Amino acid sequence: MTTAMPLGAAENTEDEDEYEAVRAKVAARFTNPLDLPKEIFADEVIYREELRRIFNGPYWHPVAHLAELPEPGSFKTTWLGGVPLLVSRGQDGVVRAFVNTCTHRGTMLEQRASGVAAEFECPYHRWLFDNQGCFRGAPGQRDFRADFTPDDYALPTLRVEQLAGLVFVTRSPQAPSLTEFLGEAASPLGDCMLDDGRLTLLGYQKVVYRTNWKTYFDNDFYHAPLLHTGFRMLGWQGGSGKVIITQPVGHLCVEYQSRRYVDNGYLADTSVVEFRGDDDRARVVALRPVTVVTKHLDTINVRFARPLGVDRTEVHYAFFGHEGDTPEYAEHRVRQASNLLGPSGFITIEDAAVFSRVQKTSGDDGYQRFVKGADRPLEQATQNDELANTIGWAHYREVMGFDR
Ligand code: FES
Ligand SMILES: [Fe+2]
């Protein structure tokens, strides 16, 4: 179950000396692989290096689902770390991803979150680009400098691959194929997204967590039935469902049986969380570095996330339905989705409260520690322990140069 993957890019940066000093100090503090020095959640120098080695490094990042780009000209804007992206379905039907920048003086080209456009016009000097990224023309073009060649001014393109309708991008030429990157996570991911090309977009919600992106992503399963009222009212305690952890990157896939709400006193109105579907196999697929995909309790959800800084993480919850849904069931999916996840969701509110409390202590020179089941062999991983987290952290240490 290994997934070979080249490690972080090694080119030099101006910040190299500054990072080297921090790296050496942090590496010395990694005395036990199950204990994480808290400064990795709070240090600005480490954060900047993560943007370089991870978000601009050889990882694949989901940026859209095809259901968000249903017709030629459909587009969506998003971010990869600190880089603005424009994801566009061209007139030829092909989905491409570009850096969302005018190639003249660098104005952000498209500011809308999504829409349909045959062309993108920069407001600054009115340069025009088509939805396949080509430069189409500009005012005053006859007087442009002698070496001006339209092809040199196409929008900068990212590598794109797709799986189960999800569009992945990378800025790194060193990234392996998407299949290699995902390894054994590919099949559960396909199952999570239903994988029949018939998902529909129901809508979005956005949450900004006051926490480092790694704390947000590394939301272990140990806590799920303990912190979350949502799971307690469903009577879900976790258990022995399937767990897949890919090596070396540490993607985590969990499958479990979801439960219907039985009136156990948590809800005055039992219709707030009501499971109507017939698929009770719930799934969570957590793809490093920072994307989570879930299918449970009538909801299908992709959490596109990005760091906003060392202590802020923005999560764009995209909710999906299926072409075969009746209007009533689609409406139920929307209600159920908002009641569980997003700004008013039972689960999200509790996570957000804890994440900000974790962040508040990140300057105390202590450690975050993995304890429950953390030193078992991988084959013995169960859903509710912290073993799954440790694989991804081993990879992180290596990529960031923190191995002792
Ligand atoms: S910066 Fe876009 S046209 Fe000049
Ligand atoms: Fe949680």
Side-chain angles (χ1 to χ4, degrees):
M1 59 185 264
T2 53
T3 305
M5 179 188 164
L7 299 174
E11 75 225 35
N12 291 352
T13 70
E14 288 174 7
D15 298 334
E16 197 175 62
D17 292 346
E18 194 183 15
Y19 183 65
E20 178 49 31
V22 175
R23 190 206 59 74
K25 234 162 79 183
V26 173
R29 291 246 297 139
F30 266 108
T31 48
N32 184 317
L34 303 180
D35 299 338
L36 309 174
K38 284 189 184 177
E39 55 268 37
I40 63 171
F41 300 96
D43 188 292
E44 296 277 355
V45 175
I46 294 174
Y47 172 69
R48 283 201 300 277
E49 195 65 14
E50 289 170 348
L51 292 184
R52 195 175 79 82
R53 295 195 187 200
I54 296 175
F55 290 90
N56 285 311
Y59 291 75
W60 285 94
H61 310 267
V63 290
H65 187 275
L66 294 178
E68 300 174 81
L69 305 161
E71 57 181 292
S74 295
F75 71 85
K76 171 187 181 182
T77 57
T78 183
W79 294 79
L80 174 54
V83 178
L85 300 186
L86 171 60
V87 185
S88 162
R89 190 189 283 274
Q91 290 314 121
D92 57 0
V94 175
V95 173
R96 299 176 178 83
F98 309 106
V99 180
N100 187 9
T101 179
C102 175
T103 49
H104 179 214
R105 297 282 302 283
T107 308
M108 186 190 281
L109 192 55
E110 180 56 64
Q111 299 221 88
R112 288 170 290 176
S114 61
V116 179
E119 291 166 330
F120 299 99
E121 186 189 56
C122 177
Y124 201 171
H125 313 87
R126 304 285 169 193
W127 283 27
L128 206 59
F129 302 86
D130 68 21
N131 59 19
Q132 296 174 203
C134 301
F135 170 87
R136 302 307 296 181
Q141 204 176 327
R142 266 181 303 181
D143 297 324
F144 280 11
R145 67 197 209 195
D147 67 354
F148 181 86
T149 311
D151 286 354
D152 292 345
Y153 290 81
L155 300 180
T157 310
L158 283 78
R159 280 175 74 190
V160 172
E161 288 199 35
Q162 293 179 21
L163 191 123
L166 273 176
V167 179
F168 289 75
V169 302
T170 182
R171 294 191 77 205
S172 168
Q174 279 87 38
S177 69
L178 177 62
T179 317
E180 196 180 333
F181 175 74
L182 291 174
E184 284 185 286
S187 159
L189 181 63
D191 189 44
C192 226
M193 303 308 300
L194 299 183
D195 208 11
D196 65 357
R198 297 177 65 212
L199 285 197
T200 54
L201 177 68
L202 294 176
Y204 302 103
Q205 291 189 317
K206 197 185 280 186
V207 174
V208 176
Y209 292 99
R210 290 164 175 264
T211 203
N212 181 267
W213 66 273
K214 302 185 295 299
T215 299
Y216 155 74
F217 181 77
D218 217 30
N219 197 209
D220 59 80
F221 275 74
Y222 176 26
H223 86 288
L226 301 168
L227 168 69
H228 291 302
T229 324
F231 288 124
R232 267 185 279 154
M233 73 189 183
L234 290 164
W236 183 79
Q237 293 299 315
S240 55
K242 272 192 223 155
V243 179
I244 295 171
I245 307 159
T246 71
Q247 294 206 58
V249 184
H251 305 309
L252 168 65
C253 313
V254 170
E255 183 183 332
Y256 57 90
Q257 214 74 19
S258 44
R259 301 263 183 90
R260 280 163 206 283
Y261 178 69
V262 287
D263 192 355
N264 51 15
Y266 276 105
L267 295 174
D269 175 359
T270 57
S271 73
V272 171
V273 177
E274 192 189 3
F275 183 24
R276 294 190 192 168
D278 48 17
D279 184 2
D280 60 358
R281 281 176 322 122
R283 282 194 179 279
V284 177
V285 176
L287 300 174
R288 290 186 186 271
V290 74
T291 309
V292 181
V293 181
T294 59
K295 175 166 76 87
H296 68 165
L297 298 166
D298 306 327
T299 66
I300 302 170
N301 172 236
V302 180
R303 300 170 203 173
F304 299 106
R306 67 156 172 144
L308 292 179
V310 71
D311 60 355
R312 291 282 187 287
T313 305
E314 180 181 274
V315 182
H316 212 180
Y317 291 78
F319 295 103
F320 298 95
H322 190 262
E323 280 174 18
D325 293 344
T326 62
E328 292 75 27
Y329 188 55
E331 199 175 307
H332 165 65
R333 280 194 197 270
V334 172
R335 186 165 189 262
Q336 186 89 321
S338 329
N339 286 344
L340 290 171
L341 300 168
S344 60
F346 283 119
I347 294 169
T348 304
I349 289 169
E350 291 159 339
D351 278 331
V354 163
F355 292 161
S356 65
R357 286 170 66 161
V358 170
Q359 191 65 28
K360 278 177 185 158
T361 80
S362 58
D364 70 5
D365 295 329
Y367 286 92
Q368 286 198 30
R369 300 185 141 162
F370 293 117
V371 178
K372 189 168 181 298
D375 52 2
R376 285 194 196 122
L378 199 51
E379 312 76 61
Q380 290 171 26
T382 70
Q383 269 179 16
N384 293 55
D385 62 32
E386 296 176 298
L387 175 59
N389 305 72
T390 64
I391 304 302
W393 280 108
H395 185 63
Y396 173 85
R397 277 200 322 275
E398 194 176 349
V399 169
M400 296 301 292
F402 292 145
D403 271 335
R404 281 154 63 86

